[in-house]
Amino acid sequence: MTTTMTNDDAMGSAEQDAVDQLVDAGLLDELMSRVDAGDLQLTGEGGFLPGLIKAVLERGLQAELTGHLGYEKGDPAGRGSPNSRNGSTPKTIATEVGDVGIETPRDRDGTFEPRLVPKGSRRVGGLDEMIISLYAGGMTVRDIQAHLARTIGTELSHETISKITDAVLEEVKAWQSRPLEELYPIVYLDALVVKVRDGHQVRNKAAHIAVGVDLDGIKHVLGIWVQATEGAKFWAGVCAELANRGVKDVLIVCCDGLTGFPEAIEATWPQATVQTCVVHLIRAAMRFVSYKDRKRVAAGLKAIYTAPTAEAAEAALLDFAGSELGQRYPATVSTWTAAWERFIPFLEFPPELRRVIYTTNAIESLNYQLRKIIKNRGHFPSDDAVIKLLWLAIRDIEDKRARQRAAEAGKPRNERKAPGHLVEGATTHGWKAALGALAIAYPDRLTGRI
């Protein structure tokens, strides 16, 4: 997933040099002493920062007009010119430090098109980026509206903020349709439930996130899909989309029991192995178990998924089914029995590969972060709004982690505390051993690729 730099990240050496010069000259010390004394306020109406932005913008606009006309204000060279200055128009613009009133200069012919503050523009600076960041952090449009009014005194309409966040939709669509690798040895699929308005009612939908592991063991978010239809038709469309984006083969797909998905996978990539996520299977089986018996049931189930072979696992399941606990919780036994055919492929692999495909934790950790973001949102107006927020949230999380790592660059390894990649760009633990096991299990499909 392509990430974007923040304003802090993008600050160039020229800008930093200018700040350093102000500090060295003691101008900031003098400024802050006046603020501390109560003689000067930084933000708000009449504040220093809005006034500074006003002065900078108006000076820049005058310079642009000079370039457009070809002569300085008051320069005799402009006498007899076919075009000239023609006063100014007042305009209020929203900035990161609040609303600022400026005077936009005009020319007599009306041909001046300023670039610093374009005609029709009512926002400058990083305000759009701020709004998108707040949205990605889980704030609703109304939350953002109230936050801007409360913190910087800028009042933007609901429609304006919606348009700002919708501006990233084209970027989301480009990401969702970008070309993919020809082969992903492992693909994980997991989902989180979101509430989406559907006509006159709000209903629960599943937002599915696919993560692919490439031949180098690097994880990539392949796409986000909100389930609009039930079962096979929806999954056939997802698989067709991935195939059209360049995915020619998948070795193992690890997912929960999704109706129609295994069939869609096998229809698209006939040689793919569809593996039920063992952790999901354990959780599903434990739903029927009372708290006092959970530890003993978990111990009994462990003998099944740690068995060396499918035959040994079947024997362990039969032992559990015939035990006192199995008799008490027949629904737990039937959960395993129903998923058996999609579970046993796991047992054909050595421990190095089992550890990698054992669970969809790669996505579950991501979903945990995403649930925190969407939990207070109520419902979404559309499926596109779901995809937009989830994409922005993933990008925002990875960007923040990248900034933390950059801040610790150069420190000894034992002093670094910044988190690694959450999913996008993360390295799969134990990948070399797992890849070796894959090369043995799928020699024809990996020949010439590793």
Side-chain angles (χ1 to χ4, degrees), residues 417-434:
K417 298 180 180 178
H421 298 273
L422 180 59
V423 169
E424 182 66 33
T427 302
T428 303
H429 183 68
W431 179 248
K432 288 187 178 180

Side-chain angles (χ1 to χ4, degrees), residues 394-410:
I394 294 170
R395 188 183 72 170
D396 193 52
I397 291 168
E398 298 292 8
D399 282 353
K400 286 178 179 176
R401 291 187 171 211
R403 289 197 298 274
Q404 289 175 286
R405 292 193 298 273
E408 293 185 354

Side-chain angles (χ1 to χ4, degrees), residues 14 17 23 25 58 144 154 195 201 231 239 247 262 288 327 334 347 351:
D17 288 345
V23 173
E58 289 182 345
I144 295 170
T154 292
K195 295 183 181 296
Q201 63 179 354
C239 292
V247 182
F288 310 102
Q327 296 294 316
S334 63
L347 301 172

Side-chain angles (χ1 to χ4, degrees), residues 215 350 352-353 430-443 446 450:
L215 285 167
E352 300 84 7
L353 187 51
W431 179 248
K432 288 187 178 180
L435 185 61
L438 286 168
I440 295 172
Y442 305 97
L446 290 177
I450 57 176

Side-chain angles (χ1 to χ4, degrees), residues 106-319:
R106 302 188 303 246
D107 65 329
R108 196 165 296 280
D109 289 349
T111 56
F112 176 48
E113 296 285 346
R115 289 177 297 174
L116 189 60
V117 184
K119 288 182 178 179
S121 174
R122 294 292 175 180
R123 301 182 305 277
V124 296
L127 189 61
D128 285 15
E129 289 77 7
M130 177 193 291
I131 289 170
I132 289 172
S133 179
L134 293 172
Y135 188 85
M139 293 180 71
T140 65
V141 170
R142 294 188 186 281
D143 291 338
I144 295 170
Q145 194 176 21
H147 175 78
L148 294 178
R150 182 175 64 254
T151 57
I152 63 175
T154 292
E155 295 187 4
L156 296 180
S157 69
H158 188 282
E159 292 74 18
T160 297
I161 297 173
S162 293
K163 286 180 181 178
I164 293 170
T165 60
D166 284 345
V168 304
L169 279 175
E170 288 303 314
E171 196 174 347
V172 175
K173 290 177 181 177
W175 171 79
Q176 187 86 337
S177 61
R178 75 198 188 282
L180 299 174
E181 307 245 345
E182 289 189 1
L183 170 67
Y184 289 93
I186 301 174
V187 170
Y188 304 96
L189 189 83
D190 202 4
L192 64 162
V193 176
V194 292
K195 295 183 181 296
V196 183
R197 176 171 290 281
D198 185 3
H200 296 291
Q201 63 179 354
V202 174
R203 67 187 185 96
N204 289 341
K205 288 190 175 184
H208 297 277
I209 301 176
V211 171
V213 181
D214 66 20
L215 285 167
D216 294 320
I218 306 301
K219 297 169 186 171
H220 306 275
V221 180
L222 305 183
I224 304 170
W225 298 270
V226 176
Q227 190 156 354
T229 57
E230 295 298 326
K233 184 177 180 181
F234 170 73
W235 290 117
V238 171
C239 292
E241 180 183 319
L242 291 172
N244 291 337
R245 289 165 61 192
V247 182
K248 294 182 178 179
D249 196 9
V250 174
L251 302 186
I252 302 170
V253 180
C254 185
C255 63
D256 196 4
L258 300 166
T259 303
F261 185 56
E263 294 77 14
I265 285 284
E266 290 161 354
T268 309
W269 302 288
Q271 294 179 291
T273 299
V274 181
Q275 170 64 51
T276 292
C277 169
V278 179
V279 170
H280 275 96
L281 186 54
I282 295 168
R283 287 176 183 165
M286 295 292 284
R287 283 203 304 263
F288 310 102
V289 181
S290 67
Y291 181 78
K292 67 183 179 63
D293 291 328
R294 280 181 171 261
K295 286 187 178 180
R296 288 198 299 151
V297 171
L301 296 180
K302 186 175 182 180
I304 302 172
Y305 61 83
T306 58
T309 65
E311 291 75 16
E314 186 174 6
L317 177 59
L318 290 172
D319 287 344

